[in-house]
Every structure is written in C-alpha cells, then in structure tokens.
Amino acid sequence: MSRIEQKLLTRQRILEAAGRGFRRGGFGGVGVDGLAKDAGVTSGAFYVHFGTKTEAFKEAVTQGLRELKEGVLHYQLTHGRDWWPEFVRFYLGLKRTCDLSDSCALQSLSPEVARADGALREDFEAGLRSVARVIVSGPASPHVPRTVESACTALATLVGTVTLARAVHSPEFAAQIAQSAERVMLGTK
C-alpha cells in the first residue's frame, strides 16, 4: 500500500470514528483526544487530517447524509416496487434500536447542526435536499413521497418518531410510537 493510500485510509478511519463519536455524544460530548483514541490514532495524527474538531464534525455530517442517500438508493435497487415501505420499516426498526453511535445522521446530528454556523447549515440543507430528490426520483412505490417537500416531511416524521421512541423508557411504548408512525406513513391506519 502506498503512503498516499495509507493516509487516505487513516483519514477515513478518523472520519468514521468521528461520526460515531458525534452521533453518540454530540459535538460537545467528545473531544479530539476521544475521537483520535476511537480511531486508533494520536491526537497529533487527528490534526494532520483535520485542522479542527469543527472541520471533522462538518465532514462527519456530510458523510452521514451521503450514507443516508446511499441507503435510500440501496433500497430502491434491491426492493423494487416495495422499496419505500421496506425503507420506512427499516428506519423505524433498526435505526430506532441500534446503538446511537450507528444511528442516522439526520436523527442524531440535526440538533447539533442547528447550533452550528451558517455554512454548515447550508451544507446540511444541500445534503437533505439531495436525499429528498433521490426519494422523489426513485421508482414507483406505495405511499412514496412525490415532491421534495413531502419527502422532507416523510424524513421529518421518521426522524421525529425515532427520536421520541429512543427517548421513552418503555420498549413497548417505543414500539407503539414506531408502529403508529408506520401506519400513518404507509396508509395502513
């Protein structure tokens, strides 16, 4: 492996660790030392790849939105006509119950982005619009949103549902919240 390839792999490892750390603890809940440790590098190595923690956060948000977009595309390609109901069920199931560090960037990082500067919020908006456009331009599927606005509403519903379900103590109540949102989103109420 060349030195350039090694450097790119190290940067990606740091970025992935930063994404997990920010989703788990928020921007203020983890420092550079913790991010570096989780990536298996020194704090000095972190600064070789990212000038500041804010720079790493910005890239982690961008990567998280890209991963969501790729996830939607995956469901479109692998589930045919049923891609939207399958995606909704996945999001309300696994993305609701997985470890917070593996959660969706929309669900876990949006509150942090809301506190950020205008440039990051512009990047976030562009990423969100891109995800919404992929939803709208995807194959026909039952109850799939057909405008960018309705796709954003659907994403907000998914994010809000997961956020509330994660916040309650009772697993039964959390499941009821998710099931109710699924019925509304998929027209089975």
Side-chain angles (χ1 to χ4, degrees):
M1 181 180 301
S2 74
R3 184 163 168 78
I4 293 172
E5 290 171 325
Q6 182 64 36
K7 189 173 182 179
L8 290 172
L9 285 174
T10 300
R11 179 183 174 79
Q12 185 59 35
R13 195 170 73 236
I14 294 169
L15 184 57
E16 289 170 3
R20 288 189 306 273
F22 291 133
R23 287 189 302 269
R24 180 178 47 247
F27 182 80
V30 63
V32 168
D33 291 343
L35 296 173
K37 182 180 178 186
D38 286 349
V41 300
T42 64
S43 296
F46 176 93
Y47 285 115
V48 166
H49 295 279
F50 299 98
T52 65
K53 183 173 98 168
T54 300
E55 183 182 321
F57 179 71
K58 179 180 178 180
E59 289 203 36
V61 169
T62 299
Q63 180 167 305
L65 289 169
R66 187 172 43 253
E67 289 169 357
L68 176 59
K69 182 178 172 180
E70 290 168 0
V72 170
L73 289 167
H74 169 78
Y75 271 81
Q76 290 173 343
L77 290 171
T78 60
H79 293 281
R81 179 167 159 63
D82 292 326
W83 78 267
W84 180 249
E86 291 298 324
F87 177 76
V88 168
R89 289 182 187 109
F90 160 77
Y91 201 97
L92 295 175
L94 183 64
K95 285 301 177 182
R96 173 177 59 86
T97 58
C98 67
D99 186 79
L100 196 55
S101 64
D102 294 322
S103 66
C104 174
L106 281 183
Q107 187 264 320
S108 56
L109 299 179
S110 293
E112 300 292 332
V113 172
R115 295 180 189 97
D117 65 25
L120 177 54
R121 292 173 68 187
E122 285 177 13
D123 290 346
F124 182 86
E125 180 179 327
L128 177 61
R129 286 178 186 272
S130 180
V131 172
R133 283 192 298 273
V134 165
I135 290 170
V136 170
S137 66
S141 186
H143 304 286
V144 68
R146 284 294 165 210
T147 66
V148 168
E149 293 79 12
S150 62
C152 287
T153 299
L155 289 168
T157 300
L158 291 170
V159 168
T161 299
V162 168
T163 300
L164 287 177
R166 280 185 177 275
V168 299
H169 178 70
S170 164
E172 296 80 16
F173 189 42
Q176 288 172 347
I177 292 168
Q179 290 163 0
S180 177
E182 179 182 323
R183 285 191 301 271
V184 169
M185 291 186 73
L186 300 180
T188 59
K189 55 180 178 169

